[in-house]
Amino acid sequence: MHILGVSCYYHDAAAALLRDGQLVAAAEEERFSRVKHDFDFPKLAIQFCLQQARIEAKDLDYVVFYERPFRKLDRLLASILQTYPQSWKVFRESMIGWMLDKLWIASTLQSELGISREKILFSDHHLSHAASAFLCSPFQEAAILTVDGVGEWLTAACGVGRDTQIQFTKQIEFPHSLGLLYSAFTAFLGFEVNEGEYKVMGMAPYGTPRYVDKVWKLVKQNDDGSFSLDMDYFCFHYSTDRMYSRKFIELFGEPRPAETPFFTESTGYPKYFGQKAPDYLAQCRANEHYADIAASIQRVTEDLLVGMARNLHKETGLKKLCIAGGVGLNSVANGRILRESGFDELFIQPAAGDSGGALGAALWVYHSVLGKPRSFVMDHAYWGEEHGAAEISEYLRSENIPYHEAACTDELLDRVTQNLMQGKVVGWYQGRFEWGPRALGNRSILADPRGPEMKDIVNSKIKFREPYRPFAPSVLAEAAATYFELDGFAHHYPLRYMLYVTPVKAEHQATLPAITHVDGSARVQTVFREQSPLYYGLIERFGQATGVPVLLNTSFNLRGEPIVTTPANACSTFLRSQMDCLVLGNFLIEK
Ligand SMILES: [Fe+2]
């Protein structure tokens, strides 16, 4: 039985395909269309899923959309009515989109795939989130927490999963939204909403959470863990272009000018920011104020999530927790939930945001609707497209790119290790690309984490990103607890997907300066031989040569671009950056 899950039209569009309950393929549309956060109908991702399964659309038993468009429209109309006349512009602008495509998704699926209407099903947005975590977790029974910006009406839900069924016990509705609260601060701090949330999280450790009391004026948490926003501080419920109100500005001061470089005295000031201005120190101080605000919203978000999880633990008495929804990607908060909420173990899958809804919707149909037993656990993220050796060598030859083909894996690993030890930055392209926003060793840029200057080198050669954003480490699973504070949870699945932030052990912070954040933490990825044999082999070889089985791993893309998909994308990125070495399968290209 083949079930295709589809998510699109809001955040990242994606498709996922199950065969008899086993995931065959899952990918976000942006990887194929090359449009970052592409939310359009995921035509190319669907095509890929069908090809990977070697089937045609007519072979699909069901196609399931990850949310209910009419219910979403219902929410939109209700909030427009409540906030009229401020909301007239939202009404006008959103109606265009709704009338053009959103409401007609069933017809679009029918015509794009040539399938009958009876095969098309709809799931609820937060149920898709919940299913995307629980139904591919290793747990037969677990509490579930979903938190995002907004689905149809829900912005958060608590519940319980048992075997194939999911029951929500508590739900929070729009406009009270933790995701939108965080996004309002993302916009206030000068970053793009749905893109800059990671930047707020990275900025936070450079500040002091001195404004938490002010943030608590905006949001209130009740004894049962639920929360509500004071809507006087926000505009997102009636405006398409403003997240926060005048009253918000009266409380926090003027917003940080959009997309201006952020730096303080402790972040450093990279060359690609240009010459330091004469008032550099005054700018640093101004930015410290914004870092304090970032620290404050991050702290309150964590406290709210820990509060919700703690209540859920108390109410259910369960030991395991599944988390999904965009807020589930806040890896700092996840680390605290694990430590402070009372749960022994968490499960989060790598595409915790809306793209993951495609997977969740398909799992929900197979297990919860059709009642089929569970047999699939997501233990790796490599569900995307692969381009094999023949295709790679043909591309390199056609473009006259000189390369060396390693005779065997040993030679490949030795040469790459040599490059890394010489301080070179290596593009590492292997196998199927990752599901979700993180590169986990198949589409990665790698470097030696031991050099204090490596962070700046990777930034100034390739990433050109803000100096305060940390790089993450990949570590052999067996060695993880040696370097990081992982008392008893080194085997947890979120670590495979870089979804916990945890302290670097004090004695190793000096050994690993390039991946240790300013507060001594790191967003760790544990690597297992079974799921990632080649990447594991490389880190192991690097460990044998240096005594440290850890690599700096960042996503293989240039700033603002989606992660590379094809050998052509990888070569183009290599040639447009100052990366020293590119490895495509067994082929090495050196500058
Ligand atoms: Fe969502």
Side-chain angles (χ1 to χ4, degrees):
M1 171 176 286
H2 291 101
I3 301 176
L4 177 73
V6 174
S7 64
C8 61
Y9 294 149
Y10 288 93
H11 301 138
D12 306 77
L17 184 73
L18 296 179
R19 174 186 286 137
D20 299 328
Q22 300 291 313
L23 186 60
V24 175
E28 282 146 344
E29 183 71 358
E30 65 162 32
R31 303 297 179 95
F32 301 102
S33 69
R34 312 305 299 157
V35 176
K36 186 112 170 143
H37 299 304
D38 195 345
F39 54 79
D40 246 328
F41 184 78
K43 198 176 175 148
L44 300 169
I46 293 174
Q47 211 172 64
F48 153 68
C49 287
L50 295 173
Q51 269 164 10
Q52 185 71 32
R54 296 176 200 281
I55 60 167
E56 292 177 36
K58 67 174 171 46
D59 303 319
L60 292 167
D61 294 276
Y62 293 102
V63 177
V64 51
F65 193 61
Y66 83 127
E67 64 176 14
R68 297 182 191 272
F70 282 93
R71 209 173 284 173
K72 196 160 199 164
L73 179 63
D74 171 58
R75 184 256 299 165
L76 195 74
L77 291 175
S79 51
I80 283 170
L81 280 175
Q82 273 169 20
T83 53
Y84 192 83
Q86 293 129 299
S87 57
W88 69 270
K89 203 167 151 216
V90 182
F91 178 76
R92 197 189 57 190
E93 286 178 18
S94 51
M95 279 310 111
I96 298 169
W98 280 93
M99 290 309 157
L100 281 179
D101 45 36
K102 289 173 193 163
L103 281 181
W104 319 121
I105 179 70
S107 338
T108 307
L109 287 167
Q110 253 180 289
S111 62
E112 288 284 345
L113 298 170
I115 52 168
S116 61
R117 179 66 183 81
E118 302 80 69
K119 287 185 172 181
I120 299 171
L121 304 173
F122 290 85
S123 171
D124 293 325
H125 189 107
H126 273 257
L127 192 56
S128 297
H129 276 319
S132 82
F134 175 65
L135 292 175
C136 62
S137 77
F139 311 144
Q140 282 308 302
E141 188 179 45
I144 302 173
L145 176 63
T146 65
V147 188
D148 69 359
V150 59
E152 294 94 356
W153 273 101
L154 300 193
T155 66
C158 295
V160 173
R162 286 198 175 89
D163 192 17
T164 60
Q165 299 302 314
I166 292 168
Q167 286 282 316
F168 285 150
T169 50
K170 199 178 296 167
Q171 305 175 337
I172 296 171
E173 289 190 351
F174 184 85
H176 306 288
S177 162
L178 200 42
L180 293 172
L181 170 70
Y182 205 86
S183 293
F185 279 92
T186 302
F188 177 82
L189 292 169
F191 304 120
E192 205 179 314
V193 169
N194 295 327
E195 164 75 31
E197 281 76 4
Y198 287 116
K199 300 182 186 181
V200 177
M201 199 171 79
M203 221 173 156
Y206 287 95
T208 307
R210 62 177 93 246
Y211 300 117
V212 287
D213 290 348
K214 287 191 177 183
V215 180
W216 281 118
K217 288 186 197 291
L218 276 52
V219 57
K220 181 174 111 216
Q221 187 157 39
N222 306 310
D223 291 341
D224 68 348
S226 64
F227 61 85
S228 56
L229 302 185
D230 180 341
M231 295 316 298
D232 288 348
Y233 291 99
F234 303 95
C235 300
F236 60 73
H237 50 311
Y238 58 79
S239 168
T240 47
D241 46 18
R242 275 173 49 233
M243 295 289 293
Y244 51 85
S245 69
R246 198 32 42 217
K247 194 169 169 187
F248 186 106
I249 296 174
E250 280 160 18
L251 189 60
F252 291 101
E254 285 303 310
R256 202 173 79 84
E259 301 302 331
T260 48
F262 173 84
F263 50 86
T264 65
E265 277 189 90
S266 49
T267 61
Y269 188 90
K271 283 192 207 83
Y272 50 83
F273 276 3
Q275 280 281 334
K276 278 183 189 172
D279 64 341
Y280 167 73
L281 284 176
Q283 287 188 17
C284 283
R285 273 193 298 278
N287 282 331
E288 270 152 28
H289 162 71
Y290 293 113
D292 292 344
I293 294 178
S296 306
I297 180 60
Q298 174 66 27
R299 172 69 60 83
V300 172
T301 301
E302 291 167 19
D303 288 350
L304 281 159
L305 287 167
V306 169
M308 289 170 86
R310 207 178 268 151
N311 267 281
L312 189 55
H313 178 253
K314 214 161 51 188
E315 285 164 13
T316 61
L318 294 168
K319 292 185 165 25
K320 319 281 189 194
L321 173 66
C322 293
I323 300 179
V327 181
L329 293 168
N330 194 313
S331 41
V332 179
N334 295 337
R336 275 196 59 196
I337 292 174
L338 176 68
R339 288 187 171 85
E340 299 175 34
S341 67
F343 287 103
D344 295 345
E345 189 172 352
L346 309 187
F347 181 85
I348 311 167
Q349 58 89 21
D354 274 2
S355 50
L359 168 70
L363 287 166
W364 171 74
V365 169
Y366 189 73
H367 298 296
S368 305
V369 178
L370 303 173
K372 304 276 188 190
R374 289 169 57 191
S375 60
F376 172 70
V377 174
M378 189 182 283
D379 59 4
H380 67 78
Y382 312 117
W383 303 103
E385 192 179 44
E386 178 167 17
H387 296 262
E391 200 180 328
I392 295 171
S393 64
E394 196 186 304
Y395 176 78
L396 295 175
R397 275 198 292 268
S398 72
E399 295 293 313
N400 289 319
I401 299 172
Y403 62 84
H404 169 79
E405 183 176 4
C408 60
T409 305
D410 263 349
E411 188 205 333
L412 181 80
L413 299 184
D414 276 340
R415 287 182 85 129
V416 177
T417 300
Q418 285 307 318
N419 271 296
L420 290 165
M421 287 174 66
Q422 288 162 17
K424 293 188 174 161
V425 181
V426 176
W428 178 255
Y429 177 104
Q430 303 290 346
R432 298 178 67 175
F433 69 72
E434 295 88 346
W435 168 235
R438 299 261 157 263
L440 299 166
N442 280 10
R443 297 289 186 281
S444 290
I445 292 171
L446 307 175
D448 186 340
R450 298 169 305 154
E453 69 297 332
M454 273 326 287
K455 188 176 152 184
D456 283 348
I457 291 177
V458 179
N459 256 330
S460 55
K461 283 189 169 185
I462 299 126
K463 292 299 233 186
F464 306 109
R465 58 182 206 177
E466 303 76 1
Y468 58 90
R469 289 182 66 194
F471 286 113
S474 296
V475 58
L476 296 187
E478 297 79 356
T482 308
Y483 293 90
F484 306 97
E485 300 282 359
L486 298 170
D487 348 278
F489 62 90
H491 63 286
H492 284 196
Y493 284 85
L495 283 169
R496 297 176 188 221
Y497 309 130
M498 287 187 179
L499 288 168
Y500 284 159
V501 166
T502 194
V504 181
K505 283 199 168 163
E507 64 270 32
H508 288 296
Q509 293 188 3
T511 327
L512 297 167
I515 56 87
T516 303
H517 205 15
V518 62
D519 58 356
S521 70
R523 184 159 42 81
V524 183
Q525 178 200 0
T526 50
V527 181
F528 289 78
R529 192 192 294 277
E530 210 187 338
Q531 283 79 24
S532 330
L534 193 64
Y535 191 41
Y536 184 98
L538 178 64
I539 304 170
E540 188 180 38
R541 189 66 53 96
F542 183 81
Q544 286 157 356
T546 63
V548 182
V550 182
L551 288 177
L552 178 159
N553 169 14
T554 183
S555 54
F556 195 155
N557 62 325
L558 296 182
R559 196 176 168 188
E561 295 182 6
I563 299 177
V564 300
T565 299
T566 61
N569 299 151
C571 285
S572 150
T573 303
F574 176 65
L575 295 171
R576 285 179 295 137
S577 71
Q578 292 176 58
M579 210 181 293
D580 302 291
C581 169
L582 172 62
V583 185
L584 298 165
N586 259 353
F587 301 89
L588 280 98
I589 302 149
E590 287 172 7
K591 272 199 187 128

